[in-house]
Amino acid sequence: MNSANSAAVVVGVDGSEPALRAVRLAATEAARRHRPLRVVHGFAWPLLHVPVSPAPVAPPGGGLRHRAEELVQAAVAEAEATVPGLSISGEIIDGEAAAVLVGESPTAALIVLGDRGLGGFSALVVGSVAVQVAAYADCPVLVARGAQRPDEPVLVAVDGSPASRLAADFAAETAVSRGVPLVAVHAYRHPGSSGPGDMQPLVYDEAKLHGEQERMLAEWMTGLTEHHRELRLTCRAVHGRPGAVLAEASRSAQLAVLGGQGRGEVTGLLLGSVSQWMLHHAQCPVAVVRAPG
């Protein structure tokens, strides 16, 4: 593949430590995919009519735009140090960070960003930019969080929805390219157990229900190994709330892959509740895959 003519991996930067972690992850992903890396900074100050050039009496090198140039240069240097020889470019684009990255998504192979940035409140586990980009981007979005475990499997959440099928295909390609197994997890609950306390039905056959869920999961994954013949696939049906089940499974995964919206999500919700939960609580990087548009 000619990387110069291929869609780039795009990473959003703001000078924060989470953004630098994202740069390192993005550089690694770009190298794996034989893609160039594009470092982008959304420069919002002009929208607020704030002077961005140094004042006449200011020392050389002052001003907000110069600071933005410095942080992009630092991010490019970090990427070069992570993957020497990688094709890397950097650009400052006027606009709010999430809008800039979403604008990059139609022509990007992947967007990578940190879980929190300089504008995030300290009490938030994940920044609003990550949630917004994951909800609206027209390409897969990878959020750098949790631990790096390169020898562990790729994890994918499966519920039979079209969104989870897209996620499963992305996860399978990723697992094969990294030479690790894929673990497909389907979290289920007992019929009628939808209340806040997750009350269990008085009468149910746990073994029968579990067997039915395992068969459903196997049916959903039919064909995946045919399209990805080198794939080593393990399917697990687990009783519990999906968010909690997947967050626990992420402790022994190198990457968690989710669809943008699954079964049971509120109509019109652009990013499903389980995906949002994982962006806040996963113990490894999270990829959100949704259909464009």
Side-chain angles (χ1 to χ4, degrees):
M1 179 182 297
N2 185 350
S3 63
N5 296 321
S6 59
V9 171
V10 176
V11 59
V13 299
D14 62 3
S16 65
E17 178 54 37
L20 287 179
R21 289 199 300 270
V23 166
R24 293 189 286 270
L25 180 60
T28 302
E29 283 297 313
R32 283 173 174 153
R33 296 163 180 265
H34 306 288
R35 306 268 185 177
L37 178 65
R38 178 169 159 80
V39 177
V40 172
H41 172 66
F43 193 57
W45 295 110
L47 301 180
L48 304 175
H49 305 290
V50 174
V52 298
S53 299
V57 296
L64 294 171
R65 188 169 292 278
H66 180 76
R67 170 62 186 132
E69 292 170 351
E70 287 183 332
L71 71 87
V72 169
Q73 291 169 2
V76 168
E78 188 77 17
E80 290 173 340
T82 303
V83 182
L86 184 66
S87 175
I88 307 169
S89 62
E91 185 175 358
I92 299 169
I93 301 176
D94 288 355
E96 189 273 329
V100 166
L101 291 171
V102 171
E104 291 283 311
S105 68
T107 57
L110 178 73
I111 288 180
V112 186
L113 63 165
D115 57 351
R116 276 192 297 160
L118 293 175
F121 293 99
S122 59
L124 294 179
V125 181
V126 67
S128 61
V129 172
V131 174
Q132 291 179 58
V133 176
Y136 290 96
D138 286 329
C139 70
V141 175
L142 177 60
V143 178
R145 59 171 293 108
Q148 302 295 314
R149 307 183 189 92
D151 297 325
E152 295 296 329
V154 172
L155 168 71
V156 63
V158 179
D159 63 7
S161 67
S164 78
R165 285 194 287 273
L166 284 174
D169 194 60
F170 177 92
E173 291 180 359
T174 302
V176 169
S177 69
R178 297 184 182 187
V180 298
L182 175 64
V183 177
V185 174
H186 168 54
Y188 68 92
R189 299 171 67 189
H190 295 102
S193 58
S194 58
D198 198 16
M199 298 296 292
Q200 306 298 335
L202 296 178
V203 179
Y204 63 88
D205 187 330
E206 173 61 38
K208 179 180 179 182
L209 179 61
H210 183 76
E212 290 173 348
Q213 298 298 317
E214 285 190 324
R215 285 191 292 274
M216 287 173 57
L217 176 56
E219 290 175 2
W220 291 334
M221 302 304 287
T222 298
L224 197 65
T225 52
E226 295 177 4
H227 294 126
H228 307 277
R229 296 189 179 277
E230 298 178 15
L231 180 66
R232 291 173 285 160
L233 175 64
T234 299
C235 294
R236 292 171 47 201
V238 182
H239 171 255
R241 294 179 178 272
V245 167
L246 293 166
E248 179 60 30
S250 73
R251 294 179 179 276
S252 55
Q254 64 167 276
L255 173 70
V257 183
L258 300 99
Q261 187 173 350
R263 293 191 186 278
E265 304 290 1
V266 178
T267 301
L269 189 65
L270 289 173
L271 184 63
S273 58
V274 176
S275 298
Q276 290 204 43
W277 178 270
M278 287 294 283
L279 287 178
H280 286 80
H281 299 287
Q283 301 299 308
C284 66
V286 176
V288 177
V289 183
R290 57 183 296 273

